[in-house]
């Protein structure tokens, strides 16, 4: 112990001499280099993973970009399988031609044992079916599909109209599904080519400069479109019904929808993520002074059925409040992508218009849902706003992840989806969820 103490003292005296150098901590420096290398490697790996995820989504949305129909001839139907793309089925059976939507709807109607489109097409633009044998309290409504003319919304509109025609026919001649109009915001109100297939009218859409003012929130075109339509005697002449049902492009009718509204009481869907609270009151005070948050219902303009007089009363404030909310930074941050829906609900509260709020109006299923086959008899509309993401074992993939089996409308933002989509895994949780089928 004495020798060890002597060596320590000698070492201390050497370190205290002028010009003496401290020993380098070689081990510590090397460890720091290793940690830095690990950190840089992790960042690089995350960057690569992010890059390939973005590339996958872009590739999915641009696939078949050259297609201008339901599916091109001899094009494979690709489906995601982990890190690879697998061609599941060639579309050779389409004989090089796209099937006409009316032909598809007629075939579906025959399968469902209901009248074909030829029996109902005369009523699509507003002439209500029915006659002297129908009940005297029948209240037909006009379906108004609000849309923009984009590839993304055009293929959704075609699917929506197909199912609307099928369910209108299934409702019979005395059903309350009356006429149909696709209200399209498109450039300067120019036709887009689908008007020969789907009854359509065209209004002016916001210019890119105007949309930039709204932070490119294109949904602002919806109240703006309805406002233009109501101001056009020519467009309104096609609507012969007293009621309006406002629909969206990603709505799929599951069964005939009766008129659930009355002149005094419109109906709308109960959006669980739109329940107002005291937290919204400061914003409401800025937009509609005097309106209390308790009066703001958890609804949007779609799906909704309301009397035409109610729509006329609502539309100006719906449009104005949507603009005011979007230009208010606090409101924009608070309401996000459902901001225009809040514009509608606040406008209704301001005018004292109280809706009957219906939970069974539509369903919005995702991968976590357990929808039995009977769900088509429990709801009127399937709103496919959420994607269904599954692993191959049939279990949900996880939050904000693209599944090994994936069904999401956002994969087809710039191109039509292929004709023959693969069925979901028939096992695990997926087997108990009929909705993606």
């Amino acid at each position: 112990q004495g020798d060890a103490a002597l060596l320590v003292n000698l070492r201390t005296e050497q370190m205290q001499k002028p010009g003496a150098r401290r020993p380098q901590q070689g081990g510590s420096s090397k460890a720091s280099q290793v940690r830095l290398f690990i950190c840089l490697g992790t960042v690089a790996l995350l960057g690569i993973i992010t890059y390939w995820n973005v590339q996958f989504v872009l590739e999915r949305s641009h696939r078949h970009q050259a297609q201008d129909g339901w599916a091109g001839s001899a094009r494979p139907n690709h489906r995601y399988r982990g890190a690879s793309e697998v061609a599941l089925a060639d579309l050779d059976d389409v004989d090089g031609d796209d099937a006409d939507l009316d032909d598809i709807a007629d075939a579906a109607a025959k399968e469902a044992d209901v009248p074909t489109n030829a029996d109902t097409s005369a009523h699509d633009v507003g002439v209500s079916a029915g006659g002297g044998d129908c009940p005297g309290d029948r209240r037909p409504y006009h379906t108004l599909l609000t849309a923009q003319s984009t590839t993304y919304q055009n293929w959704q509109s075609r699917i929506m109209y197909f199912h609307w025609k099928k369910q209108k026919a299934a409702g019979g001649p005395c059903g309350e599904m009356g006429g149909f109009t696709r209200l399209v915001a498109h450039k300067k109100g120019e036709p887009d080519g689908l008007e020969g297939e789907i009854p359509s009218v065209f209004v002016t859409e916001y210019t890119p400069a105007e949309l930039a003012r709204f932070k490119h929130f294109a949904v602002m075109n919806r109240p703006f479109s309805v406002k233009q339509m109501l101001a056009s005697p020519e467009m309104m002449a096609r609507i012969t019904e007293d009621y309006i049902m406002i629909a969206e492009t990603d709505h799929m009718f599951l069964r005939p929808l009766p008129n659930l509204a009355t002149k005094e009481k419109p109906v709308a869907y109960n959006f669980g993520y739109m329940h107002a609270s005291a937290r919204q009151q400061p914003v409401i005070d800025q937009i509609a002074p005097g309106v209390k948050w308790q009066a703001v219902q958890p609804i949007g303009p779609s799906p909704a059925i309301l009397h035409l007089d109610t729509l006329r009363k609502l539309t100006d404030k719906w449009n104005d409040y949507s603009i005011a909310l979007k230009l208010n930074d606090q409101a924009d941050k608070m309401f996000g992508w459902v901001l225009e829906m809040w514009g509608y609900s606040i406008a209704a509260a301001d005018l004292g218009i109280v809706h009957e709020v219906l939970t069974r109006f539509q369903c919005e299923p995702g991968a976590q849902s357990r929808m039995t086959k009977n769900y088509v008899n429990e709801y009127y509309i399937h709103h496919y706003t959420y994607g269904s993401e599954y692993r191959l074992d049939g279990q949900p993939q996880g939050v904000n992840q693209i599944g090994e089996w994936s069904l999401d409308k956002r994969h087809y933002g710039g191109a039509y989806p292929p004709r023959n989509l693969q069925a979901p895994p028939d096992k695990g949780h997926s087997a108990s969820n009929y909705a993606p089928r």
Side-chain angles (χ1 to χ4, degrees):
Q1 292 178 354
D3 291 341
L6 178 62
L7 288 173
V8 170
N9 290 334
L10 290 174
R11 185 60 174 164
T12 302
E13 290 176 1
Q14 290 176 358
M15 291 296 297
Q16 292 174 346
K17 289 181 180 180
R21 298 177 61 187
R22 293 182 177 277
Q24 295 183 358
Q25 301 296 321
S28 176
S29 176
K30 187 174 182 180
S32 297
Q33 292 175 0
V34 171
R35 286 195 295 270
L36 178 61
F37 177 79
I38 292 174
C39 289
L40 292 175
T42 302
V43 171
L45 181 60
L46 290 173
I48 292 171
I49 293 173
T50 301
Y51 171 80
W52 283 113
N53 277 335
V54 170
Q55 290 299 308
F56 167 72
V57 173
L58 290 175
E59 192 274 339
R60 292 289 295 175
S61 67
H62 289 93
R63 181 175 299 136
H64 310 309
Q65 186 123 26
Q67 292 175 243
D68 192 24
W70 286 104
S73 61
R75 288 184 180 272
N77 172 8
H78 293 279
R79 203 60 182 149
Y80 184 51
R81 276 291 175 265
S84 65
E85 294 285 344
V86 180
L88 297 174
D90 290 333
L91 301 178
D92 296 331
D93 58 337
V94 299
D95 298 324
D97 296 315
D98 291 337
D100 181 79
L101 191 64
D102 283 338
D103 294 337
I104 299 173
D106 286 347
K110 290 177 181 177
E111 180 181 347
D113 194 25
V114 297
T116 65
N117 291 325
D119 301 319
T120 62
S121 59
H123 306 297
D124 291 351
V125 295
V127 181
S128 299
D133 296 334
C134 293
D137 60 350
R138 178 175 174 269
R139 294 169 297 114
Y141 61 85
H142 194 97
T143 300
L144 186 67
L145 173 62
T146 58
Q148 293 176 260
S149 185
T150 62
T151 300
Y152 181 61
Q153 291 205 359
N154 284 353
W155 65 257
Q156 293 177 41
S157 295
R158 297 178 76 181
I159 293 174
M160 187 275 181
Y161 183 54
F162 159 73
H163 285 281
W164 178 88
K165 292 176 77 172
K166 181 178 178 180
Q167 298 307 327
K168 175 183 170 67
C174 292
E176 293 182 315
M177 297 176 70
F180 186 100
T181 296
R182 171 176 166 255
L183 175 61
V184 191
H186 185 223
K187 296 182 179 178
K188 297 181 179 180
E190 303 166 359
D192 65 353
L194 281 185
E195 65 276 4
E197 178 182 311
I198 307 174
S200 305
V201 295
F202 299 88
V203 294
T204 302
E205 67 179 344
Y206 282 119
T207 66
E210 290 169 328
L211 271 184
R213 180 172 173 244
F214 303 136
K215 303 176 185 177
H216 305 283
F217 188 55
V219 183
M220 299 296 286
N221 276 298
R222 176 158 57 177
F224 184 45
S225 298
V226 175
K227 182 176 180 177
Q228 293 179 74
M229 182 195 74
L230 292 174
S232 169
E234 180 182 358
M235 293 182 187
M236 293 306 296
R238 67 190 289 119
I239 299 178
T240 61
E241 299 84 356
D242 292 331
Y243 294 84
I244 293 286
M245 186 266 173
I246 304 178
E248 298 178 11
T249 58
D250 57 353
H251 285 175
M252 185 173 68
F253 282 82
L254 301 174
R255 55 182 173 137
L257 174 63
N259 187 351
L260 304 171
T262 65
K263 185 174 182 179
E264 298 76 22
K265 190 76 134 181
V267 297
Y269 175 66
N270 180 11
F271 288 97
Y273 43 80
M274 281 191 60
H275 286 269
S277 67
R279 189 173 72 93
Q280 280 86 33
Q281 190 62 57
V283 169
I284 296 172
D285 288 339
Q286 298 175 56
I287 305 303
V291 174
K292 300 303 180 183
W293 66 264
Q294 294 91 337
V296 179
Q297 296 182 286
I299 60 172
S302 176
I305 304 176
L306 61 167
H307 195 275
L308 194 53
D309 291 344
T310 306
L311 181 63
R312 289 192 178 100
K313 187 177 179 181
L314 259 171
T315 298
D316 281 347
K317 284 199 172 186
W318 168 24
N319 184 65
D320 293 345
Y321 286 0
S322 296
I323 293 174
L325 289 170
K326 193 61 186 175
L327 297 180
N328 183 302
D329 290 339
Q330 183 183 2
D332 190 29
K333 182 178 180 180
M334 179 177 291
F335 297 137
W337 61 275
V338 292
L339 177 145
E340 170 264 348
M341 298 163 63
W342 280 93
Y344 178 92
S345 60
I346 294 173
D350 193 15
L351 293 167
I353 298 172
V354 180
H355 295 64
E356 182 179 354
V357 181
L358 304 176
T359 301
R360 294 283 179 170
F361 204 155
Q362 70 173 9
C363 61
E364 297 181 318
Q368 301 286 349
S369 304
R370 291 189 184 274
M371 310 292 285
T372 67
K373 191 172 183 178
N374 192 51
Y375 94 104
V376 297
N377 298 314
E378 297 172 350
Y379 301 91
Y380 292 105
I381 295 170
H382 178 145
H383 183 202
Y384 54 94
T385 187
Y386 298 118
S388 292
E389 311 291 344
Y390 285 109
R391 302 198 305 257
L392 294 184
D393 62 4
Q395 297 306 313
Q397 181 68 42
V399 179
N400 295 327
Q401 297 182 34
I402 296 177
E404 294 175 306
W405 184 92
S406 177
L407 181 63
D408 191 331
K409 64 181 182 179
R410 296 162 188 83
H411 293 332
Y412 308 102
Y416 275 55
R419 184 188 295 270
N420 296 319
L421 293 171
Q422 181 194 6
D426 193 19
K427 53 187 173 182
H429 183 283
S430 173
S432 65
N433 186 15
Y434 186 76
R437 290 162 172 77

